Amino acid sequence: MSTAIATPHATRSTAARQPAMSRLFLVCVVLAICIWGGNWPVMKFGSQFIPPLWFAASRFLSAALLSFAIAALIGKLRLPTRQEWPVVIGVGVLQMGLFTALVTGALHFVMPGRASLIAYATSIWVVPGAALVLKHKLNGRQSLATVCSYVGIAVIVLPALLHADLHSMIGYLMLGAASLSWAMNILQIKLTPGVKLDFDLLPWQTLVAAVPLCVLATLVDGAPTFLADPHSWGVIAYTGPLATALTFLIVLQMTQRLSPVTVSVCMLGVPVVGLTLSSLIFGERLSPDLLLGMGLLCLGLLLPALPAMGWRRLAIKG
């Protein structure tokens, strides 16, 4: 199921022959998007009483403990091979640890709705990166979906940036760095053919993320005194086992099965869900620019999921 990319010709052929997502896989993708979208208001709530570094550390430590236990029970606990370790470290450091620490810290400066849009705008980095590093050529659907996502991001983010104070700008810069971190990991995975991102590697990926975060959290924030608050356990249960152990496995499968551009566009569904929930829970106003941007992002999300034959028929009729 992995996508091997050895030459520019192979990359173009893979992009041209990329199959439509199966119905079951599409359901899993939608599930992951909804869970991660719900994770943003949960993180905003938890950031009120859990320090940022401990928040990220507890998320991945709980996910690591759970995934190690499950892997041992089902007989899939093993050490990664020499070829797999770079991917394990890349996912653990870039996509899990650094990304989560940055976005959790940014939530102290900005509201979760627009914040999630900037953090998940990986297409800003992935599209030029895929063209330069992977020699990836966009097909018709990918090009149109990318244009929709770029315009949607611009409509939503630019007004906030133009009116941001220094306090908010710090948060936006942290979110931009988080987005870049994840984009780098997407490209790394596509440059590492032959490594399957199955459940076997998830315990080690979460452990790689958890260990340095726990050390940093202890040095910066001291002992995890927040555990005395009963609310923290519910937040950790959602962000760790559910929004990490389960959801990361689905997203990593997406990263390996689909093109990097399609993955980055699909992930924009997370902030659409997050922004909607943020408006309901925290009263974040759905202004006209947000609604227009969300509409464009939704259009960009639907295009990669259209069956190839249906797209060709639509193109012929048009």
Side-chain angles (χ1 to χ4, degrees):
M1 293 181 183
S2 62
T3 304
I5 300 175
T7 64
H9 174 73
T11 304
R12 288 192 292 269
S13 299
T14 301
R17 293 182 285 102
Q18 182 184 323
M21 287 184 276
S22 68
R23 190 170 300 176
L24 177 60
F25 188 55
L26 184 58
V27 169
C28 291
V29 170
V30 172
L31 177 63
I33 288 173
C34 290
I35 292 174
W36 263 3
N39 196 42
W40 281 86
V42 171
M43 287 193 297
K44 180 66 175 179
F45 172 72
S47 66
Q48 300 173 28
F49 49 88
I50 304 178
L53 286 174
W54 267 122
F55 202 144
S58 61
R59 173 181 180 178
F60 291 106
L61 183 59
S62 61
L65 293 172
L66 178 65
S67 55
F68 267 106
I70 294 175
L73 286 173
I74 64 177
K76 285 201 168 188
L77 184 59
R78 64 174 180 86
L79 281 171
T81 65
R82 182 178 299 179
Q83 185 184 13
E84 291 170 335
W85 270 117
V87 176
V88 169
I89 294 172
V91 171
V93 173
L94 295 173
Q95 186 178 153
M96 292 184 176
L98 184 58
F99 177 88
T100 304
L102 286 169
V103 298
T104 305
L107 288 175
H108 286 267
F109 300 95
V110 294
M111 290 294 286
R114 290 185 190 265
S116 61
L117 284 161
I118 300 175
Y120 282 86
T122 55
S123 58
I124 293 175
W125 316 104
V126 168
V127 172
L132 293 173
V133 179
L134 305 177
K135 309 300 180 184
H136 185 97
K137 186 177 180 180
L138 302 184
N139 60 33
R141 278 182 295 169
Q142 290 174 331
S143 298
L144 186 54
T146 301
V147 170
C148 289
S149 65
Y150 265 71
V151 176
I153 292 167
V155 167
I156 292 172
V157 173
L158 287 180
L161 292 178
L162 291 175
H163 299 93
D165 54 20
L166 180 60
H167 186 266
S168 299
M169 190 60 68
I170 293 173
Y172 289 134
L173 288 174
M174 294 175 70
L175 293 166
S179 178
L180 176 60
S181 174
W182 191 350
M184 291 170 60
N185 185 237
I186 290 175
L187 296 177
Q188 181 208 12
I189 291 172
K190 302 307 290 187
L191 284 169
T192 315
V195 175
K196 292 186 66 176
L197 297 173
D198 292 331
F199 187 80
D200 304 43
L201 300 182
L202 185 62
W204 301 101
Q205 291 162 347
T206 51
L207 184 64
V208 166
V211 170
L213 284 172
C214 286
V215 173
L216 282 173
T218 303
L219 294 174
V220 175
D221 298 319
T225 55
F226 61 90
L227 293 175
D229 189 331
H231 293 97
S232 65
W233 290 99
V235 171
I236 293 171
Y238 186 98
T239 60
L242 185 60
T244 303
L246 172 64
T247 315
F248 262 107
L249 185 60
I250 298 173
V251 174
L252 290 172
Q253 287 290 310
M254 286 176 60
T255 304
Q256 195 159 48
R257 293 187 186 194
L258 306 177
S259 76
V261 175
T262 301
V263 173
S264 63
V265 171
C266 284
M267 282 296 96
L268 287 173
V270 174
V272 171
V273 175
L275 189 56
T276 303
L277 292 175
S278 178
S279 67
L280 296 173
I281 298 172
F282 296 105
E284 191 169 359
R285 191 172 68 90
L286 289 177
S287 57
D289 60 317
L290 284 177
L291 292 173
L292 175 59
M294 286 174 64
L296 290 167
L297 292 178
C298 289
L299 179 59
L301 278 169
L302 292 173
L303 289 173
L306 289 175
M309 183 60 70
W311 174 260
R312 284 197 292 267
R313 289 175 180 172
L314 183 62
I316 290 171
K317 289 179 181 179

